[in-house]
Amino acid sequence: MDQAKLTNQKLDGALRSAVAGNGTEPLKVIVQTKDGLKDEDHKLVKSLGGKIKDDLFIINAYSAELTPKAIGMLILSERVVRVFQDTPVHI
């Protein structure tokens, strides 16, 4: 699958424009995987220069900080189902 299709399939709308830009500041994201946070996820995020913040095991995900370029590389992983921007929720 090509990069454009992966971007549309795996990134939420807010992240699509950020990844398409040339930003260098880390973004807070939630990364949903096939089966939760594993050692290989730690290794991948570290290799991309990011930091894992929390294990969100209830939803098979983890929160992390990654640059837009790193997010573009992260979505190439078969383990990654979807990546969302981690923003505060107001009720």
Side-chain angles (χ1 to χ4, degrees), residues 11-59:
L11 293 181
D12 77 4
L15 285 175
R16 286 182 199 142
S17 59
V19 169
N22 292 323
T24 58
E25 289 297 313
L27 301 171
K28 294 179 181 181
V29 295
I30 295 175
V31 181
Q32 186 177 25
T33 65
K34 292 180 178 183
D35 56 359
L37 179 61
K38 303 291 183 196
D39 286 339
E40 61 193 279
D41 300 312
H42 282 280
K43 291 175 186 174
L44 176 59
V45 170
K46 185 176 181 179
S47 75
L48 294 172
K51 296 177 188 174
I52 291 180
K53 296 298 188 178
D54 292 303
D55 182 356
L56 307 172
F57 60 92
I58 293 174
I59 59 170

Side-chain angles (χ1 to χ4, degrees), residues 1 5 8-9 16 22 27 29 32 43-44 48 50 54 56-57 62 64 66 68-69 71 73-74 77 79 81-82 87:
M1 192 175 291
K5 286 183 182 178
N8 287 330
Q9 179 184 357
R16 286 182 199 142
N22 292 323
L27 301 171
V29 295
Q32 186 177 25
K43 291 175 186 174
L44 176 59
L48 294 172
D54 292 303
L56 307 172
F57 60 92
Y62 58 88
L66 294 156
K69 182 177 179 178
I71 294 167
M73 299 296 291
L74 181 77
S77 170
R79 291 191 40 72
V81 175
R82 190 109 166 115
T87 58

Side-chain angles (χ1 to χ4, degrees), residues 30 85-91:
I30 295 175
Q85 188 168 12
D86 188 2
T87 58
V89 176
H90 301 284
I91 298 176

